[in-house]
Amino acid sequence: MNKWVYLFNEVKEVEKVSRGSWDSVKSLVGGKGAGLMDMTRAGVPVPPFFTVTTEACNAYQKANKFPAGMWDQELKALKAIEKATGKKFGDAKNPLLVSCRSGAKFSMPGMMDTILNIGLTDKVAEGMVKATGNTRFVYDSYRRLIEMFGSVVMDTGDEVFEHALESYKAEKGYKNDTDMQAEDWVAIVEKFKVAYKSKTGEDFPQDPFKQLELSTEAVFRSWNGKRAVDYRNKEKISHTLGTAVNICTMAFGNMGDDSATGVAFTRNPSTGDSLMMGEYLINAQGEDVVAGIRNADPIQNLVNQMPKAYKQFMDITAKLEKHYHDMQDVEFTIERGKLWMLQTRIGKRTAKAAVKMAVDMANEKLITKEEAVKRVTPENVDALLHPQFDDSAMNQAEKDGHFVAKGVNASPGAAVGQIYFDADMAEKMAKEGKQDTIMVRPFTKPDDVHGMIASKGVLTSEGGATSHAAVVARQFGIPCVVGASAIKIDLEKRVMNVGEITLKEGDWISVDGTTGKVFAGKIPTSEPSLEEQTDLLTLLNWADEISARKNIRSAPNGGPTRGLQVWANADYPKDARRARSYGAVGIGLCRTEHMFFEPERLPIVQEMILSETSDGRTAALNKLLPTQRKDFDGLFEAMDGYPVIIRLIDPPLHEFMPDEEALLEEVITMRVKGQTDGLKAKEDLLESIKGMHESNPMMGLRGVRLSIVMPEIVEMQVRAIFEAAADCTLRGIVVKPEVMIPLTGTVKELEWIQPRLLRIASAVMAEKKIKFEYKFGTMIEIPRAAVTAQEVAKQAEFFSFGTNDLTQMTYGYSRDDAERNFLITYQEQGILGTNPFQTIDREGVGKLMQWAIDEGRKTRPNLEVGICGEHGGDPNSIEWCHMIGNNYVSCSPFRVPIARLAAAHAALKHQPVVAKKAVAKKAVAKKVVTSSPKGKKVAKKK
Ligand code: PEP
Ligand code: MG
């Protein structure tokens, strides 16, 4: 016969069937049941109880009835409780009353149902009055049962009871519940019974066993209530876990002024401060505190009213925190001076509190540094580093009808500003008008960057997670929402419309890059800074220590045995300085073409592109050389001592030219108006641009192909890199330049271009009479390069996965259009689990990466491998990079802290058994205990 029910003192049996795993104990009897059993074992005063398992709940959900034997086991357990308390269920003289509470594996506060005071009937109530002499207490408890039973079990809703109470109070002229006298509660019970019958057509059940049976069933049902399902979806909790049901002897906080009830957190869940935060009410039952019907007192005041119980409570909660190695969320009741603990569980907390508590607890030696690092999530770090909208303000905005649309949450953080529909206006209004601007466009292009940088936030109606807007916004830490396709932008009328809402240029808008939501009007934000967050800095340093440990990785392909390093994608010295201050130890990608877009350089770049001869190109490029050298000089200086990877020009040349359509329009207008001045030049330019047209530019003349067709550009770039590196070395700066060739598909391309570039490098070093470390390597962005990596590594001294293009080319999904056109549908339909442009697709793209590393290291065992696609800042992708043997990940400066934490998480999760044992030994030697109650016992025994 299956065992569906466990008694308060049967924790050993639960452990046995759970094979000693505390996690499995919680799976079977729920977090609350496990906590209560564990407290009972530790001698904490817990009212006797029993727990119906989650397995019983799941069996109920399947068959829509209790599984065979379960109810009998409940009755048997009830007998055991009767024995332990000396009371009898349903007995009028000495009645046992119980509560029936949900308790899933993971706490879902307030999401499921609870029924208190089960066992009260007319007869029992009379008997209790005789026994206690306290009519008020008995009938107050009874009316609570009728209301809870009605609303939770019979679906009557609360209103019918609230209405009955309110009209009674109004009739009597009472303002508060406390004005109600004993006889008033007796009268209310009668009124509630009438209300109950009016809604259910039945009398309130006078059989206590029926009450218990229906309550158990109602709690089972509440697992699939809408609130609970929504909560699990949000928190990514599996719907198949089921809830346990705890039937617990009632302890009464409403027996008079020597009774009380309360809830408390052992540390402040909002700030993380070590001071207990809690509230209590004298002469009340549990839900009064939570419901906020009466103003509760801060827990610290209890010392004056019930010093003995207070001291005992403080002792117990301190022990509980030590026992569970974490902040506890407890419920308690004091019945005529005697303290009962009704619940203990790990308390929920804000991001700020999560970091502070983790660091404090490690410093207090309550947990190890590893555990502290594990407890903080990448989302916590993210939340701490970007300006955020206040949750309640966002909810309010939604309620007030200000919600506009939801798009892809491309770059986190909150931005509030005035709408401008083009880059020039956005920049002008920001710089000259001193406004906070939000640039709103259908999509962005490289020549929109100045408007983006000047703006507080960016919103596009098209494009996806790796679209231009998304990449650039992340690069600069600008909050950004892309692909909000419900928004229709009319660039001519300069308005945007969503349904009824029309917003025009200059109107205020709030863009939440963390959730992808967009609101009309202003929502207040708060702005944090890393430097001021000393606890976070401490935690990130611990994360770095963990990642740097030797042998924390088993080096799958002869690669590194330490964890991942974190580098940054940065184009300008100021970004590099920021990246370094955020903890980056290298630049993994400098996209040199961004520098070509600067207003004073673009005409020279265009002149170079339009030159018909190599000499003409070289002449234009010579004008660019000094400025490129200066760019690189600044980068090397900012990253003194660290590697800097500079990627040679990548995009197709037409991106540097004026827009073809706009130019055509201009030419036509001039022709129509008969304006001849300058017409010829424009016509020639138009012809050249037309000549550059490609049907599929992403797969066209770009990357290394461009370098082979027009080597003068990259020759100038390599000269600029090496001259800058030489100049820096002469100034005492330690440089480690790494030249990266993009979009390689065959090693032959590298064989063609690399020797030419190497000759320039050697020539510059000879001219400057100086030598320094350098490397030449390639991006792996084309599946063919990954497949033939063994060959590619013969030329390339390092690989960097350009996973934006590698994903595009492997899936054959356009990185600029997929989200808008079908990716969201694919996710909704379950064809794709996650967006492959945000999180590495391990089975496809990830496998190619793994293959490329394995093959590459066959040729070059110490091949340096990184990733510089957008995935480099995504925790799940970072874990994959750790597993396949990357040396580093590179991401935008603002994501560096998140990546440092994620790198340490991956290292801890995948550390080889030997390394784990070594850490465990050290922990035991230091008498450091592990996080589960079980672990603690083992550690003690040793
Ligand atoms: C990539 O393709 O992943 C990459 C980093 O290059 P880009 O985004 O500039 O094409
Ligand atoms: Mg690329």
Side-chain angles (χ1 to χ4, degrees):
M1 165 69 80
N2 233 331
K3 189 163 165 63
W4 304 111
V5 173
Y6 288 89
L7 269 173
F8 58 94
N9 54 7
E10 287 186 327
V11 66
K12 277 220 170 81
E13 280 81 342
V14 187
E15 282 179 338
K16 210 160 132 197
V17 295
S18 307
R19 300 211 166 77
S21 148
W22 194 249
D23 190 66
S24 307
V25 169
K26 288 205 279 189
S27 297
L28 185 61
V29 294
K32 183 176 281 171
L36 288 172
M37 286 182 192
D38 205 31
M39 282 202 286
T40 308
R41 166 161 67 186
V44 172
V46 173
F49 69 98
F50 63 84
T51 304
V52 188
T53 65
T54 55
E55 285 177 357
C57 173
N58 287 335
Y60 171 85
Q61 307 293 0
K62 261 199 201 127
N64 215 15
K65 61 176 190 205
F66 289 160
M70 187 202 99
W71 180 241
D72 287 343
Q73 289 179 28
E74 268 201 52
L75 293 177
K76 209 169 140 212
L78 200 59
K79 284 258 167 299
I81 293 191
E82 286 178 344
K83 199 162 167 229
T85 56
K87 298 178 177 181
K88 206 164 167 1
F89 195 58
D91 185 64
K93 285 202 189 100
N94 185 20
L96 169 70
L97 301 192
V98 295
S99 61
C100 181
R101 291 164 171 247
S102 59
K105 175 173 184 177
F106 302 107
S107 82
M108 296 167 52
M111 295 301 134
M112 289 181 292
D113 290 327
T114 291
I115 302 112
L116 304 179
N117 308 332
I118 297 168
L120 258 172
T121 60
D122 293 352
K123 240 173 56 202
V124 170
E126 274 170 35
M128 273 177 78
V129 170
K130 271 191 202 139
T132 62
N134 192 339
T135 310
R136 182 185 204 283
F137 149 67
V138 173
Y139 283 86
D140 176 29
S141 304
Y142 195 9
R143 62 96 192 183
R144 287 170 194 267
L145 170 66
I146 301 170
E147 177 167 356
M148 275 189 249
F149 192 88
S151 61
V152 172
V153 180
M154 306 301 287
D155 260 345
T156 57
D158 287 326
E159 297 78 16
V160 64
F161 302 108
E162 272 155 26
H163 186 244
L165 182 59
E166 286 316 311
S167 49
Y168 182 87
K169 283 196 322 204
E171 223 172 83
K172 292 272 177 176
Y174 297 155
K175 273 211 173 103
N176 301 313
D177 284 7
T178 40
D179 299 333
M180 300 272 287
Q181 303 305 310
E183 60 277 13
D184 295 320
W185 290 118
V186 176
I188 279 296
V189 163
E190 285 315 308
K191 288 199 181 296
F192 274 20
K193 283 201 260 178
V194 172
Y196 179 94
K197 192 165 184 180
S198 74
K199 282 279 173 187
T200 63
E202 297 166 15
D203 286 326
F204 177 74
Q206 294 297 316
D207 174 359
F209 293 94
K210 197 78 207 153
Q211 292 175 6
L212 182 60
E213 187 188 338
L214 293 178
S215 297
T216 308
E217 202 177 347
V219 174
F220 279 166
R221 275 203 312 269
S222 70
W223 173 254
N224 281 329
K226 183 169 165 16
R227 255 181 309 159
V229 172
D230 289 348
Y231 183 86
R232 289 199 296 275
N233 283 338
K234 184 166 166 285
E235 296 292 308
K236 298 196 173 70
I237 296 173
S238 161
H239 295 295
T240 61
L241 295 173
T243 181
V245 181
N246 299 292
I247 314 288
C248 189
T249 306
M250 283 299 305
F252 294 101
N254 55 343
M255 286 193 82
D257 286 346
D258 55 354
S259 300
T261 186
V263 293
F265 293 89
T266 53
R267 300 184 189 219
N268 188 313
S270 166
T271 61
D273 288 343
S274 301
L275 199 65
M276 173 175 284
M277 194 187 96
E279 290 182 320
Y280 71 99
L281 280 172
I282 296 282
N283 197 11
Q285 266 200 330
E287 76 276 13
D288 296 344
V289 181
V290 184
I293 297 169
R294 282 162 52 193
N295 276 346
D297 281 323
I299 192 79
Q300 282 75 12
N301 289 8
L302 189 66
V303 70
N304 305 319
Q305 285 169 301
M306 299 183 193
K308 223 176 107 209
Y310 177 77
K311 186 178 176 315
Q312 192 191 4
F313 176 70
M314 294 307 277
D315 286 350
I316 288 172
T317 48
K319 274 190 198 134
L320 287 173
E321 201 184 82
K322 274 214 172 89
H323 186 63
Y324 291 106
H325 311 279
D326 206 346
M327 182 259 273
Q328 297 296 297
D329 166 0
V330 297
E331 279 179 22
F332 66 95
T333 286
I334 299 166
E335 180 180 312
R336 290 182 168 161
K338 172 150 179 55
L339 172 72
W340 293 102
M341 297 300 295
L342 304 183
Q343 172 183 288
T344 191
R345 63 182 173 196
I346 310 276
K348 304 240 180 244
R349 62 205 74 185
T350 61
K352 184 170 188 276
V355 172
K356 175 152 176 52
M357 283 183 203
V359 171
D360 284 354
M361 286 182 193
N363 286 336
E364 292 160 21
K365 302 268 185 281
L366 190 60
I367 57 174
T368 59
K369 284 183 183 172
E370 287 82 0
E371 182 57 32
V373 167
K374 278 201 272 189
R375 282 208 186 153
V376 175
T377 63
E379 291 78 23
N380 290 152
V381 177
D382 203 16
L384 289 176
L385 290 179
H386 290 277
Q388 298 294 326
F389 288 124
D390 181 48
D391 264 353
S392 53
M394 261 213 292
N395 291 339
Q396 193 55 47
E398 212 151 339
K399 272 192 205 137
D400 295 344
H402 298 324
F403 174 74
V404 172
K406 189 164 188 281
V408 178
N409 49 342
S411 178
V416 181
Q418 289 172 266
I419 300 169
Y420 289 98
F421 291 110
D422 69 69
D424 292 340
M425 274 299 278
E427 187 187 44
K428 187 164 177 261
M429 298 318 284
K431 286 196 175 153
E432 293 170 22
K434 303 271 176 269
Q435 289 185 4
D436 287 344
T437 62
I438 303 280
M439 194 174 109
V440 181
R441 299 279 306 164
F443 54 88
T444 66
K445 291 195 303 203
D447 53 9
D448 289 327
V449 171
H450 61 291
M452 298 176 71
I453 295 174
S455 295
K456 293 283 172 210
V458 174
L459 168 64
T460 72
S461 55
E462 299 173 18
T466 61
S467 61
H468 177 267
V471 172
V472 174
R474 272 197 291 275
Q475 174 86 9
F476 295 107
I478 304 164
C480 175
V481 172
V482 295
S485 51
I487 296 176
K488 304 287 168 252
I489 301 170
D490 187 332
L491 289 175
E492 268 185 24
K493 291 195 182 130
R494 309 202 71 82
V495 292
M496 52 180 271
N497 297 299
V498 182
E500 303 280 281
I501 303 175
T502 297
L503 295 169
K504 49 185 197 315
E505 205 150 45
D507 282 352
W508 286 88
I509 193 170
S510 298
V511 174
D512 187 10
T514 310
T515 61
K517 290 186 181 175
V518 180
F519 298 89
K522 297 194 228 178
I523 299 180
T525 63
S526 58
E527 193 139 1
S529 98
L530 181 63
E531 292 75 18
E532 285 164 14
Q533 305 198 40
T534 46
D535 288 322
L536 181 56
L537 289 174
T538 305
L539 191 96
L540 291 174
N541 284 337
W542 293 347
D544 292 346
E545 272 169 33
I546 291 167
S547 297
R549 276 182 202 156
K550 267 195 202 148
N551 299 323
I552 197 137
R553 247 201 295 197
S554 54
N557 35 34
T561 65
R562 56 153 288 154
L564 290 166
Q565 287 192 342
V566 178
W567 299 13
N569 295 354
D571 300 342
Y572 300 97
K574 77 171 175 4
D575 303 326
R577 280 192 290 276
R578 182 193 298 276
R580 191 175 181 145
S581 77
Y582 279 17
V585 292
I587 297 298
L589 174 64
C590 162
R591 290 181 167 102
T592 46
E593 62 271 9
H594 286 174
M595 300 157 171
F596 288 177
F597 281 106
E598 287 183 14
E600 68 280 13
R601 300 190 201 182
L602 201 55
I604 310 175
V605 176
Q606 290 172 351
E607 177 191 328
M608 183 269 296
I609 294 171
L610 293 173
S611 303
E612 272 159 22
T613 61
S614 173
D615 284 351
R617 280 196 288 274
T618 307
L621 285 162
N622 281 342
K623 289 192 232 167
L624 282 177
L625 178 72
T627 41
Q628 274 269 275
R629 190 170 51 221
K630 207 160 141 244
D631 297 331
F632 300 143
D633 191 296
L635 274 184
F636 291 135
E637 188 171 325
M639 296 308 287
D640 187 359
Y642 290 134
V644 175
I645 296 189
I646 297 169
R647 177 177 75 181
L648 303 180
I649 190 165
D650 182 42
L653 292 182
H654 74 82
E655 285 196 12
F656 300 100
M657 303 305 281
D659 182 62
E660 191 182 327
E661 267 180 43
L663 190 59
L664 177 65
E665 227 181 278
E666 238 183 281
V667 166
I668 293 172
T669 314
M670 284 176 87
R671 280 184 194 150
V672 170
K673 289 189 177 165
Q675 294 170 344
T676 47
D677 218 17
L679 178 62
K680 171 86 173 63
K682 287 208 191 297
E683 284 172 340
D684 288 350
L685 182 60
L686 184 61
E687 276 316 296
S688 306
I689 296 173
K690 276 187 183 160
M692 284 176 206
H693 181 84
E694 292 179 305
S695 309
N696 207 340
M698 270 303 205
M699 292 179 154
L701 183 62
R702 57 174 284 222
V704 66
R705 299 159 206 166
L706 183 61
S707 309
I708 289 169
V709 174
M710 278 186 196
E712 299 86 359
I713 308 174
V714 289
E715 283 169 1
M716 178 280 286
Q717 289 193 304
V718 169
R719 175 160 279 279
I721 293 168
F722 280 79
E723 285 184 356
D727 292 348
C728 284
T729 310
L730 288 169
R731 299 207 306 272
I733 294 162
V734 178
V735 295
K736 295 181 179 175
E738 301 192 12
V739 179
M740 181 154 76
I741 298 170
L743 225 70
T744 301
T746 156
V747 70
K748 297 270 185 227
E749 291 166 323
L750 297 183
E751 284 170 3
W752 194 95
I753 193 77
Q754 202 166 302
R756 287 170 172 250
L757 302 178
L758 273 167
R759 275 198 295 279
I760 295 171
S762 304
V764 174
M765 286 195 285
E767 282 161 26
K768 300 262 182 183
K769 299 194 179 48
I770 201 147
K771 280 215 155 98
F772 44 81
E773 240 183 81
Y774 67 91
K775 283 189 183 127
F776 273 77
T778 187
M779 292 183 80
I780 304 285
E781 301 177 278
I782 294 187
R784 193 182 187 287
V787 172
T788 60
Q790 202 175 340
E791 288 300 308
V792 174
K794 285 183 183 157
Q795 286 291 320
E797 292 170 288
F798 66 86
F799 286 175
S800 177
F801 290 108
T803 43
N804 302 335
D805 275 313
L806 190 60
T807 302
Q808 165 167 263
M809 309 261 186
T810 304
Y811 265 111
Y813 296 168
S814 160
R815 58 191 267 194
D816 294 315
D817 308 307
E819 271 109 335
R820 176 165 54 103
N821 289 337
F822 61 88
L823 219 59
I824 302 202
T825 310
Y826 267 35
Q827 281 180 267
E828 281 167 4
Q829 296 301 319
I831 295 168
L832 290 174
T834 48
N835 179 342
F837 289 106
Q838 282 179 327
T839 300
I840 291 281
D841 147 51
R842 294 188 183 188
E843 288 90 40
V845 178
K847 277 268 162 60
L848 272 176
M849 294 166 72
Q850 190 171 26
W851 170 269
I853 299 180
D854 290 348
E855 291 292 299
R857 288 205 174 122
K858 281 183 190 161
T859 301
R860 202 182 281 274
N862 55 358
L863 181 75
E864 173 189 284
V865 181
I867 179 175
C868 61
E870 291 307 301
H871 306 82
D874 167 64
N876 186 294
S877 311
I878 291 171
E879 182 190 14
W880 179 247
C881 290
H882 174 92
M883 290 160 71
I884 61 177
N886 268 43
N887 295 79
Y888 68 87
V889 294
S890 184
C891 55
S892 87
F894 293 93
R895 284 165 108 181
V896 165
I898 296 169
R900 287 163 69 192
L901 184 75
H905 283 182
L908 289 169
K909 183 169 166 193
H910 296 284
Q911 62 184 313
V913 184
V914 222
K916 258 190 199 160
K917 273 190 186 154
V919 173
K921 254 190 181 171
K922 232 172 140 187
V924 171
K926 281 187 175 175
K927 287 207 171 61
V928 175
V929 287
T930 58
S931 66
S932 85
K934 232 11 218 170
K936 181 178 175 184
K937 281 194 142 189
V938 174
K940 266 186 173 170
K941 267 186 212 151
K942 277 188 182 170

